Amino acid sequence: MRISVAQRRARLGVRHRLARRTASVAEAAASVVALHGTDPATVFLSAGARLESPGPEPVERALYEDRTLVRMTGMRRTVFAVPVELVPVVHHSSALAVAKQERKKLLRFLAEGGGWDEAWVGEVEASVLRLLAESGEATAAELGALEPRLRQQVRVAVGKPYEATQGVSTRLLGLMAMEGRLVRRGRPSGTWISGQVRWGVAPEMAELTVQEAQAELVRRWLAAFGPGTEGDVKWWTGWTLGDVRRALGSIGAVTVELDEGVGYVLPDDLDPVPAPPPWAALLPALDPTPMGWQGRDWYLPQAHRSELFDRSGNVGPTVWWDGEVVGGWAQRGDGEIVWRLLSDVGADARSSIETEVMGLASWLAGVKVTPRFRTPLERELSA
């Protein structure tokens, strides 16, 4: 069976809640498996692009009150905002393997930079867990005031142009979260774009084998992003090709023909998806949709990539029309949204994009968002 580019774009629009929006933040996140959370603002902007009534309030409620979304490190050592029921899957399929490598790095980092050994680290970790059990939640600074060893500083990359100082808390608390012992849980001080983290003791989670968790994560990915190639799944998960093939086999994924070669879909997902009416969207930097596949030719023309991606492969803010990236957008210093088309899409598309721009400007209400990873077009437009 062959699945065309037009059909892939139809699936993207419908399943990623860009052509048919939702009232639920959790459903908006689940539509793309999880929302990228490396840049705190991305969670709000990505959810907003998929919500019937966008704004910071419903996302804050999901993160800090209802806790239907959980920030955690997962695939490719990236922070995501994950639907709560998917936390054990991400943890056992991806986070634990990352944590194992990060613990080795941390112990070497502390031994070389401060002479602290594994026993010292264990004592600090036990102290952190005890303090959080007593207080409920705290920032790294608040924990450092109670546990001074967290405030110890280590020089890294000594003698190199990027030499810097890192605090013990920066590395240690993040590692404890990867291992499932801490969780990013509290509302930060300041506005919704704040990068501050309030830590708490992680609740117990369901036990899964690595194979069970990997199979479920790939099933979720195919339901949201399928069809996709082995290379797409390998890139998105950060796993070995062997892990990817085992997971695809365990869920009975079916092969289909794509422009770039062999792809995979779930066995009950062979029927075509009716194309939705043409739609426009403004997606933020690091949005899960443009970052969802390694092979991007079917939705992102090669000619646009040098302007829309940074040198590390991070996508900037994008303008979409009917399943294809057609331009980029940014905010100027006063918060004004500016955008540029990189493809000729016609008057109807321009009108729809302008409507999206006005909607985004309305709920941002003057809040200025600067992407953490800046791209050439975003820098140019925001100047």
Side-chain angles (χ1 to χ4, degrees):
M1 178 179 174
R2 179 176 179 79
I3 297 183
S4 67
V5 167
Q7 174 60 197
R8 297 184 77 178
R9 291 178 179 177
R11 290 174 178 231
L12 182 158
V14 172
R15 295 180 178 178
H16 289 203
R17 288 295 188 172
L18 296 170
R20 300 172 185 169
R21 300 186 180 182
T22 177
S24 164
V25 174
E27 188 173 340
S31 73
V32 286
V33 183
L35 300 174
H36 276 262
T38 304
D39 194 334
T42 299
V43 177
F44 291 82
L45 293 168
S46 290
R50 295 166 171 86
L51 289 174
E52 295 169 355
S53 300
E57 295 83 4
V59 183
E60 288 186 314
R61 189 161 56 249
L63 284 168
Y64 310 126
E65 296 174 20
D66 301 337
R67 292 179 179 162
T68 53
L69 285 186
V70 178
R71 291 184 190 268
M72 64 181 296
T73 301
M75 297 69 71
R76 308 187 311 279
R77 199 180 172 274
T78 298
V79 176
F80 290 88
V82 178
V84 66
E85 71 277 6
L86 196 61
V87 168
V89 172
V90 173
H91 178 70
H92 291 289
S93 71
S94 305
L96 280 179
V98 173
K100 184 177 180 180
Q101 297 303 314
E102 289 302 307
R103 178 161 287 276
K104 292 179 182 177
K105 293 178 184 177
L106 177 67
L107 291 174
R108 185 168 59 248
F109 165 76
L110 294 178
E112 294 174 354
W116 302 302
D117 60 13
E118 189 170 359
W120 184 90
V121 174
E123 291 175 3
V124 177
E125 290 173 319
S127 177
V128 167
L129 292 173
R130 183 178 62 255
L131 290 168
L132 287 174
E134 295 169 354
S135 65
E137 60 184 48
T139 65
E142 289 167 346
L143 285 170
L146 299 170
E147 172 48 82
R149 288 174 290 187
L150 286 173
R151 301 201 305 268
Q152 297 282 3
Q153 300 288 308
V154 179
R155 296 296 294 172
V156 297
V158 176
K160 298 181 180 179
Y162 47 90
E163 180 178 343
T165 300
Q166 285 188 355
V168 169
S169 65
T170 302
R171 300 279 292 269
L172 184 59
L173 298 178
L175 173 61
M176 294 177 71
M178 289 182 210
E179 293 175 336
R181 295 190 287 165
L182 298 185
V183 65
R184 300 165 176 84
R185 63 184 307 167
R187 188 187 303 271
S189 59
T191 69
W192 54 268
I193 64 174
S194 169
Q196 184 191 68
V197 174
R198 295 191 67 82
W199 298 101
V201 176
E204 292 186 7
M205 69 176 75
E207 288 291 333
L208 297 170
T209 67
V210 173
Q211 290 76 19
E212 288 171 336
Q214 289 182 337
E216 178 60 15
L217 190 64
V218 170
R219 188 190 69 77
R220 298 266 186 143
W221 186 89
L222 282 179
F225 292 90
T229 65
E230 284 182 346
D232 292 330
V233 181
K234 181 178 183 295
W235 179 86
W236 188 86
T237 58
W239 303 341
T240 67
L241 187 57
D243 287 337
V244 169
R245 287 175 173 170
R246 182 173 55 248
L248 288 169
S250 68
I251 61 174
V254 177
T255 59
V256 294
E257 182 184 348
L258 305 175
D259 279 4
E260 60 263 52
V262 176
Y264 292 84
V265 294
L266 293 173
D268 60 354
D269 192 26
L270 292 168
D271 293 337
V273 172
W279 53 273
L282 269 64
L283 300 185
L286 296 177
D287 184 86
T289 294
M291 295 293 287
W293 298 266
Q294 183 183 49
R296 297 164 176 156
D297 289 347
W298 60 275
Y299 67 92
L300 200 163
Q302 184 71 40
H304 300 349
R305 295 184 196 179
S306 62
E307 296 182 81
L308 295 173
F309 283 78
D310 71 6
R311 292 182 179 180
S312 298
N314 301 301
V315 72
T318 50
V319 176
W320 290 69
W321 173 246
D322 207 19
E324 182 181 10
V325 176
V326 296
W329 64 277
Q331 282 182 285
R332 291 186 173 142
D334 60 0
E336 178 190 1
I337 297 173
V338 289
W339 54 287
R340 179 183 299 167
L341 291 176
L342 301 173
S343 301
D344 184 6
V345 292
D348 289 344
R350 282 182 172 272
S351 177
S352 295
I353 293 166
E354 287 171 354
T355 298
E356 291 299 311
V357 170
M358 289 188 289
L360 177 58
S362 176
W363 78 257
L364 283 177
V367 173
K368 173 70 165 61
V369 177
T370 301
R372 180 171 296 184
F373 303 107
R374 306 193 68 184
T375 54
L377 184 58
E378 187 274 329
R379 286 181 180 275
E380 182 182 345
L381 290 175
S382 63

